[in-house]
């Protein structure tokens, strides 16, 4: 087991208290989305495209949304998906349990702070003292009132005290207005002069005078003491008009040593960058000083983030360091802040362990403190935080703290087994949100050794009814079920116990292999699926129930699609509501056969989406009185249904499967792409046992059936099992991805992609070369090329002897898969007509 696996899991799963952020804006706000990546304005904003933060972050967001890593594609996805769906996805993926909002920033079409409760269970407000003062002065101006220091002070204190029971903190922006050398003994004459100067200077009033700013700060501290509220102080970078020469943290020492305010609690925001060392020093010698690391852990380079956090921890007590995202305007800023902070904190803490500064248990407690406990303890004395948390502890070890939706009755925990069947456990909503979301439910080990014909584990799989695992919901995959409005569904990971993945878990298998590809070659595999299926209707002929095609239309028949359009529209709507991109739909060659092609995405997301697509398509058909089957070959005299998968390789957000220079590429693909695809080609006979898992699968893989029956590859050759593709938008002669036509819907999508990726890794490791492509129908050649396995027996034999796949996927897992496949061979060999009943399972 990895040395720091327990620390990694703690950092990954801790529920976050985001103690400083700002309001979201409506989708049609004039505030540009590019500001998600930069604090610059005007012409300087265009330079954001060339920052490390932009390049890294656009890839992170694209991965979350399963779209291309470009600003145009991300914005298109946002507009198509809508505010609520985007917000829910970002906050859920970030695992934020509470946010504290400074709503003193006047964004265009700013959402009120209360509305953020739709995304997180706990929302608190931070009152910005200078913003409150400006609001008071502008109201007085509108009323034509004459202002005096006495009248202003009375109004300001009255208003500030009225918020005392409804806010979690106060905040000062004095640093960027006049610096951190705060004069707590400023003369009243100087303050009144400053007040009148600002009141008469601009319309609307903007407070700029340093004496007035210092006075407002001093008055606010008295209220903070009275109501036991902390004061957040803007420090470091984050605003274009900050004068960093006046923002050195050491300028605060006069304030911190003023005995009148010795019991005030101060939070220095943004890690005080670039004064992180000074902030660490102050926190170490002043009991009332606490540090926030927000904004710094996303707006600078990864090296800069780590350096800043390490400087913070050089002297500062760990229990005084708290996380915030610094998120604003866009849900993506919250997601990016949390995602990057988890990575950086993990890296910094492992370094501290390596240096001997911390033990692993101490590092785990440090992570839990920074992300959750420190803020919980710091703000707990305020009455409002108690009402936020209520009777529910913000459990720092919980994977996700999510409030139970009032209108949800059931939650389905969904997984795909070894032979691709989608199964689920259903938990009442209250129990799910109280217990199951963190602890999962028990499941027999034998569940991953069940065949398509029986709900008992097969022989020789080493998986029996004895023993239990836990299926743990991955809350980032949770969706409200569009066709059943009082239910939700969520994909699960299989653990021996919470936090310890099981070696037979499909999703973790794909993660493991993806990690190898990333660590050895810095590559990511993207996948997109074409989902073919038959739409069937039920009839009774001579007293016998039969399932027959929905209609008799042919390939891309417009009248056939017209008849099915209401059903297809609802299928599309369901998938859209779950954030699954549908690229196109059309009628296929078989009577009543259709295809839905979904967009490419990081392979783990694509495999997850494939499960949801099949669930949605079958459920909508059932609602309309029809049956959908993805079975590879239902009608013996018609075309079969595949789940063709398109694959590409990405490095740092760029498709590196495509050749960079056509003059140096034989086939229009890069050397990396060629070696990877050559590995897949070489191991394809073995892979078939995983991606074409039933005897029925091989009834589909026949010559002249567009399914790839021969062991060849070709460029745009749809009779080849592996087709190099040049889609629209790619220059002639180049290929951007390759398609495997052998994949079908009886395959577990995570195991299938893991096996393909493992073969590609072998190709990269061994520099395997491709044979010459075949660019004609192989059946027309004088010497017919070698066939791929013509039945499951042959592919099982190939997999049994494939030691490379066993090594990468795991020998025990491959043995279990083989045991299930052998049981399928025996059963369907003895029951020739049994496959017809599989339309009710696939």
């Amino acid at each position: 087991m990895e040395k720091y696996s327990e620390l990694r899991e703690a950092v990954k799963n801790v529920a976050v208290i985001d103690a400083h952020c700002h309001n979201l804006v409506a989708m049609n706000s004039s505030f540009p989305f590019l500001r998600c990546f930069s604090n610059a304005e005007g012409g300087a904003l265009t330079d954001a495209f060339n920052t490390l933060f932009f390049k890294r972050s656009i890839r992170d967001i694209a991965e979350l949304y399963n779209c291309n890593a470009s600003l145009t594609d991300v914005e298109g996805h946002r507009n198509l998906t809508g505010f609520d769906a985007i917000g829910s996805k970002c906050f859920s993926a970030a695992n934020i349990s509470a946010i504290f909002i400074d709503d003193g920033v006047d964004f265009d079409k700013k959402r009120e702070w209360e509305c953020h409760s739709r995304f997180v269970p706990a929302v608190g407000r931070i009152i910005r003292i200078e913003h409150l003062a400006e609001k008071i002065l502008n109201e007085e101006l509108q009323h034509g009132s004459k202002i005096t220091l006495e009248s202003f002070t009375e109004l300001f204190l009255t208003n500030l005290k009225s918020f005392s029971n409804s806010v979690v903190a106060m905040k000062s922006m004095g640093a960027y207005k006049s610096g951190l050398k705060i004069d707590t003994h400023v003369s009243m004459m100087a303050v009144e002069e400053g007040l009148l100067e600002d009141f008469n200077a601009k319309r609307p009033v903007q407070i700029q005078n340093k004496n007035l700013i210092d006075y407002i700060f001093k008055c606010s501290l008295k209220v903070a003491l009275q109501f036991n509220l902390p004061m957040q102080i803007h420090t470091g970078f984050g605003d274009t008009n900050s004068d960093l020469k006046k923002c050195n943290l050491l300028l605060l020492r006069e304030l911190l040593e003023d005995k009148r305010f010795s019991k005030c609690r101060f939070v220095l925001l943004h890690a005080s960058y670039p004064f992180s060392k000074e902030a660490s020093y102050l926190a170490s010698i002043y009991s009332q000083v606490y540090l926030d690391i927000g904004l710094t852990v996303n707006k600078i380079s990864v090296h800069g983030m780590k350096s800043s956090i390490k400087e913070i921890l050089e002297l500062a007590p760990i229990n005084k360091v708290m996380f915030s995202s610094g998120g604003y305007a866009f849900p993506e800023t919250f997601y990016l802040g949390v995602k990057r902070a988890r990575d950086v904190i993990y890296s910094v803490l492992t370094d501290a362990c390596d240096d001997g500064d911390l033990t692993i248990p101490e590092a785990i407690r440090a992570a839990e403190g920074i992300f959750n406990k420190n803020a919980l303890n710091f703000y707990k004395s305020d009455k409002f935080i108690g009402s936020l948390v209520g009777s529910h502890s913000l459990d720092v070890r919980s994977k996700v703290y999510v409030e139970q939706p009032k209108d949800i009755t059931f939650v389905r925990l969904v997984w795909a087994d070894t032979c691709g069947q989608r199964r689920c456990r259903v938990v009442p909503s209250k129990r799910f949100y109280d217990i199951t979301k963190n602890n999962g439910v028990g499941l027999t080990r034998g569940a991953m050794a069940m065949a398509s014909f029986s709900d008992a584990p097969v022989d020789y799989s080493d998986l029996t009814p004895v023993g239990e695992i836990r299926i743990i919901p991955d809350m980032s995959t949770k969706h409200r079920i569009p066709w059943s409005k009082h239910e939700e569904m969520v994909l699960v990971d299989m653990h021996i116990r919470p936090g310890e993945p099981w070696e037979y878990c499909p999703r973790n298998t794909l993660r493991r292999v993806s990690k190898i590809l990333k660590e050895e070659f810095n590559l990511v595999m993207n996948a997109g699926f074409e989902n073919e299926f038959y739409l069937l209707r039920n009839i009774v002929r001579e007293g016998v129930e039969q399932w027959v095609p929905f209609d008799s239309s042919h390939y891309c028949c417009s009248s056939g699609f017209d008849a099915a359009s209401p059903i297809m529209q609802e299928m599309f709507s369901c998938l859209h509501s779950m954030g699954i991109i549908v690229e196109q739909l059309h009628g296929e060659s078989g009577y009543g056969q259709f295809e839905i092609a979904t967009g490419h995405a990081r392979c783990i997301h694509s495999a997850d989406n494939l499960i949801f697509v099949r669930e949605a398509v079958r459920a909508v058909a059932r609602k309309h009185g029809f049956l959908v089957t993805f079975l590879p070959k239902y009608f013996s005299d018609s075309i079969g249904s595949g789940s063709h998968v398109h694959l590409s390789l990405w490095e740092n957000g760029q498709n590196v499967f495509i050749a960079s220079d056509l003059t140096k590429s034989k086939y229009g693909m890069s050397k990396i792409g060629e070696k990877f695809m050559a590995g897949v080609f070489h191991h394809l006979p073995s892979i078939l046992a995983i991606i074409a898992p039933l005897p029925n699968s091989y009834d589909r893989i026949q010559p002249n059936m567009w399914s790839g029956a021969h062991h060849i590859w070709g460029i745009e050759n749809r009779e080849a099992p592996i087709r190099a593709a040049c889609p629209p938008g790619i220059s002639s002669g180049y290929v951007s991805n390759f398609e495997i036509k052998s994949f079908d819907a009886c395959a577990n999508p995570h195991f299938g992609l893991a096996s393909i990726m493992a073969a590609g890794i072998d190709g990269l490791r061994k520099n395997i070369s491709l044979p010459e492509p075949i660019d004609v129908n192989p059946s027309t050649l004088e010497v017919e090329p070698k066939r791929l396995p013509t039945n499951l027996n042959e592919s099982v034999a190939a997999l049994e002897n494939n030691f490379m796949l066993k090594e990468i996927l795991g020998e025990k897992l491959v043995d279990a898969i083989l045991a299930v496949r052998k049981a399928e061979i025996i059963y369907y060999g003895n029951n020739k007509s049994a496959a017809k009943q599989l339309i009710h399972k696939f």
Side-chain angles (χ1 to χ4, degrees), residues 410-466:
F410 297 134
V411 181
R412 303 181 193 179
L413 281 67
V414 181
W415 71 96
D417 67 13
T418 308
C419 60
Q421 294 178 97
R422 298 177 307 284
R423 299 180 184 267
C424 76
R425 285 284 189 87
V426 182
V427 179
S429 179
K430 186 178 188 309
R431 181 172 180 80
F432 177 84
Y433 283 95
D434 286 348
I435 299 172
T436 306
K437 66 179 175 62
N438 298 325
N439 301 315
V441 298
L443 181 70
T444 174
R445 287 165 52 90
M448 284 304 287
M450 293 176 179
S452 64
F453 58 85
S454 172
D455 284 339
V458 303
D459 295 334
Y460 312 114
S461 66
D462 200 34
L463 297 174
T464 71
V466 179

Side-chain angles (χ1 to χ4, degrees), residues 307-318:
S307 297
S308 179
I309 301 305
K310 285 182 177 181
E311 288 182 348
I312 283 289
L313 295 180
E314 283 182 4
L315 285 172
I318 297 173

Side-chain angles (χ1 to χ4, degrees), residues 615-794:
E615 287 286 284
V617 169
R618 282 179 66 93
V620 171
R622 187 183 304 113
K623 175 182 174 182
H624 287 267
F626 298 101
L627 175 68
V628 154
T629 182
F630 295 93
L631 190 68
K633 189 74 169 180
Y634 181 57
F635 297 109
S636 60
D637 58 348
S638 187
I639 201 85
S641 293
S643 190
H644 309 162
V645 59
H646 289 257
L647 303 160
S648 55
L649 296 174
W650 294 71
E651 182 178 20
N652 301 326
Q654 299 295 318
N655 185 346
V656 293
F657 185 85
I658 190 170
S660 58
D661 184 351
L662 197 59
T663 63
K664 299 178 181 179
S665 172
K666 188 174 182 180
Y667 305 121
M669 65 185 80
S670 65
K671 293 296 183 184
I672 288 173
E674 181 179 342
K675 293 173 185 177
F676 187 92
M677 196 172 96
V680 177
F681 178 87
H682 177 73
H683 292 286
L684 188 56
S686 301
I687 295 171
L688 282 185
I690 299 175
I691 66 174
L694 294 180
N696 181 266
S697 301
Y698 298 81
D699 294 336
R700 178 182 79 92
I701 303 175
Q702 298 294 326
N704 301 310
M705 287 292 181
W706 299 42
S707 56
H710 297 85
H711 197 179
I712 65 168
W713 77 278
I715 298 174
E716 299 294 9
N717 184 353
R718 284 173 167 78
E719 269 298 320
I722 296 180
R723 173 177 72 96
C726 180
I730 302 299
S731 300
S732 178
Y734 290 91
V735 296
S736 65
N737 64 84
F738 69 101
E739 176 189 25
I740 299 179
K741 303 182 76 66
S742 315
F743 210 117
D744 69 44
C746 296
N748 179 297
H750 298 88
F751 286 155
L753 290 180
S755 67
I756 292 168
M757 190 185 298
I761 288 170
D762 193 53
L764 291 170
R765 286 174 173 174
K766 297 177 180 176
N767 293 314
I768 298 175
S769 298
L770 285 168
E772 289 298 313
I774 302 295
D775 293 328
V776 298
N777 184 339
S779 297
T780 65
L781 293 173
E782 185 175 341
V783 178
E784 186 175 353
K786 181 181 177 181
R787 285 286 301 272
L788 284 172
T790 58
N791 55 57
L792 185 55
N793 275 310
E794 294 177 8

